[in-house]
Amino acid sequence: MMTLRLNLLLASCMLVSFLVAQDDQVTGRPTAEFQFEAMEHDFGWVLQDSRNPHVFTFKNTGNVPLIIESAVGSCGCTVPRYHNAPILPGEEGEIEVVYSPGKQEGHQLKTVTVIANTKPAQTLLRIHAEVLTADPGVPSEAYTFEPLPPPVDPGGDTQVYVDGEMVRVSEQAMEDVPVEPATFDPLNGRSTVGEKAHGPTTELRFEEMEHDFGQIPQGSENPHVFRFKNTGTVPLIIENAIGSCGCTVPFYAKDPIMPGEESEIHVVYKPGKQEGTQQKTVTITANTAPGETQLKIRAEVLVVDSVTAPSLFVIDEEHEKERTAIETVSPGCFVIFPNPTSSELRLDLKEHIGRSAQVRIHDQTGREMLQTRIADINSETSRLDVASFPGGIYVVTIQVEDGQPMSQCFVVSK
């Protein structure tokens, strides 16, 4: 039965991935252009257990803001770091790669796959090293990288910014479109090309920014959906959303939200043993001006006894709909990232702070690849080492104390 459930989950994951890929091909996305000073680096001779950093510098030579979605090393020994903020046309950025060989020895060739709103979407950086157990005392010989085959992208429409508006044009018509480099007015919640510290900003408009739950019982779970729209002219990127206490847990979209698109932030308030008037906040950090937006919730928390409990714990129809919406946007009530990954899987379990959890990972055949226990869940993400896993699709299952097991799939890329 366990194997059957895992197979069904894997099948659904692959179907969703296929549908998302098809949707991306149909809708298109605004594309920028990378221009790296160098796309390979030779560390030469390095010692085992050493730490070897290198910075790849690039420039956005396109006409729209460049958004790096992910950067993944080919193994756990190769760790890239980059900034999430959009990079304006003409601006420069950096991707730092740290190579830590551990007990590796001899010739080593590693890669970093960068995924961004470029064409093609994937850019490959390469590093080389000769790992030794002792310093030879002489310079290493230069390494020559084999040339990569040219990237191939299927034809189709793309999206560009024209006079502050995003339009779709065919590849054949791209040369005829009067596309101007993106410029942004700081007085309208946007920034200019020269403002590197802030990056391009957009505007966030909520239908409401406050919500009153009214009278609720201790120990209850109270969801609410805050809906908003990106009313600016550049993609909206929510970097974080943090509740003012562990009892206030927000969920939000991790993908960029295009101009004119709508999205939601789901907030669940669990008062625990609190009582009386309560006021909590959720602080959203995004590429807006100002950079932080605050949502507020209020409630009158009632002490529950055996007489009042039955009537207080009745969930009305509106709350039931909101609960269903939260389960839809955040299946299993936990977040995993990055996905795909090559070395490390992170679990975001903020809604279960203070509790313990059992974690298991299975491969496509149902074979258990990893089992561990999180003794005390906190606000930080839990990290799982999957660097030794072969490439493929896996299922991570989490059981928080005596609750129902929750499962999601992820991909290990090699």
Side-chain angles (χ1 to χ4, degrees):
M1 181 63 71
M2 179 64 178
T3 302
L4 177 60
R5 280 201 295 262
L6 289 174
N7 289 338
L8 288 174
L9 182 59
L10 288 166
S12 64
C13 290
M14 288 187 285
L15 176 60
V16 170
S17 299
F18 173 77
L19 292 176
V20 170
Q22 293 295 314
D23 183 64
D24 285 345
Q25 292 179 4
V26 173
T27 59
R29 303 177 65 182
T31 57
E33 294 181 9
F34 265 137
Q35 183 175 324
F36 280 85
E37 291 185 0
M39 300 180 69
E40 296 93 12
H41 177 71
D42 182 14
F43 285 107
W45 284 333
V46 300
L47 297 178
Q48 289 181 337
D49 298 316
S50 61
R51 184 179 184 275
N52 306 277
H54 177 71
V55 175
F56 290 92
T57 303
F58 62 87
K59 185 177 183 179
N60 179 2
T61 56
N63 296 312
V64 300
L66 172 66
I67 301 172
I68 298 178
E69 297 179 8
S70 66
V72 181
S74 57
C75 76
C77 61
T78 306
V79 181
R81 295 184 176 88
Y82 63 96
H83 293 291
N84 293 321
I87 300 164
L88 287 175
E91 287 190 350
E92 295 183 347
E94 297 178 346
I95 296 177
E96 181 188 27
V97 177
V98 179
Y99 172 57
S100 304
K103 298 303 180 184
Q104 296 172 356
E105 188 172 349
H107 167 79
Q108 303 292 329
L109 181 63
K110 308 296 180 183
T111 61
V112 171
T113 302
V114 182
I115 299 178
N117 61 326
T118 53
K119 189 174 180 62
Q122 291 189 354
T123 301
L124 201 67
L125 306 177
R126 296 188 289 177
I127 60 172
H128 169 265
E130 289 286 340
V131 183
L132 306 179
T133 57
D135 188 350
V138 294
S140 64
E141 295 182 2
Y143 176 77
T144 302
F145 288 86
E146 292 289 336
L148 291 171
V152 178
D153 257 2
D157 293 351
T158 187
Q159 290 178 327
V160 296
Y161 285 94
V162 181
D163 296 329
E165 297 294 332
M166 189 166 61
V167 298
R168 182 178 298 171
V169 295
S170 65
E171 294 293 330
Q172 292 80 5
M174 279 296 289
E175 295 181 358
D176 300 326
V177 176
V179 180
E180 298 180 359
T183 57
F184 305 93
D185 180 5
L187 297 178
N188 292 326
R190 297 169 287 175
S191 63
T192 63
V193 172
E195 292 183 291
K196 289 187 178 181
H198 302 287
T201 59
T202 189
E203 297 174 0
L204 189 62
R205 179 178 297 172
F206 279 87
E207 292 182 2
E208 58 172 352
M209 300 183 68
E210 299 183 4
H211 178 71
D212 188 353
F213 286 107
Q215 292 185 334
I216 59 175
Q218 290 178 335
S220 60
E221 183 176 300
N222 306 275
H224 182 69
V225 179
F226 289 94
R227 296 178 175 84
F228 65 89
K229 184 177 183 179
N230 178 3
T231 57
T233 57
V234 300
L236 171 67
I237 300 175
I238 299 178
E239 298 176 8
N240 207 351
I242 301 177
S244 56
C245 73
C247 60
T248 307
V249 183
F251 301 88
Y252 61 96
K254 302 296 192 298
D255 296 329
I257 300 162
M258 293 297 117
E261 287 187 348
E262 297 180 350
S263 189
E264 301 171 345
I265 292 180
H266 299 249
V267 177
V268 179
Y269 173 52
K270 304 176 183 179
K273 296 300 182 182
Q274 298 170 356
E275 61 179 274
T277 302
Q278 302 292 327
Q279 296 187 9
K280 309 297 178 184
T281 60
V282 171
T283 301
I284 302 163
T285 304
N287 60 324
T288 52
E292 291 186 350
T293 302
Q294 199 168 80
L295 306 175
K296 298 179 181 180
I297 61 173
R298 295 185 300 274
E300 184 72 23
V301 182
L302 304 179
V303 177
V304 177
D305 55 42
S306 59
V307 176
T308 60
S311 60
L312 289 175
F313 276 95
V314 174
I315 302 176
D316 61 30
E317 183 179 354
E318 178 184 358
H319 280 199
E320 184 63 31
K321 289 181 180 178
E322 292 175 338
R323 183 190 301 276
T324 302
I326 288 177
E327 291 173 350
T328 301
V329 79
S330 184
C333 289
F334 69 96
V335 177
I336 58 175
F337 63 96
N339 188 10
T341 183
S342 63
S343 59
E344 181 181 79
L345 186 69
R346 298 188 184 185
L347 308 178
D348 189 340
L349 300 168
K350 290 187 180 70
E351 64 272 26
H352 304 292
I353 289 176
R355 305 171 73 185
S356 62
Q358 196 74 22
V359 182
R360 292 182 175 87
I361 295 180
H362 295 81
D363 66 8
Q364 298 180 69
T365 67
R367 179 180 57 173
E368 188 172 87
M369 304 291 294
L370 181 147
Q371 178 177 341
T372 187
R373 183 175 181 271
I374 304 174
D376 186 15
I377 299 172
N378 55 41
S379 59
E380 299 297 323
T381 57
S382 300
R383 305 186 179 195
L384 304 178
D385 184 6
V386 296
S388 61
F389 288 18
I393 301 177
Y394 296 84
V395 175
V396 56
T397 302
I398 299 175
Q399 184 172 8
V400 179
E401 296 182 352
D402 296 329
Q404 292 295 319
M406 306 174 291
S407 297
Q408 291 194 55
C409 61
F410 68 97
V411 176
V412 173
S413 60
K414 297 293 185 182

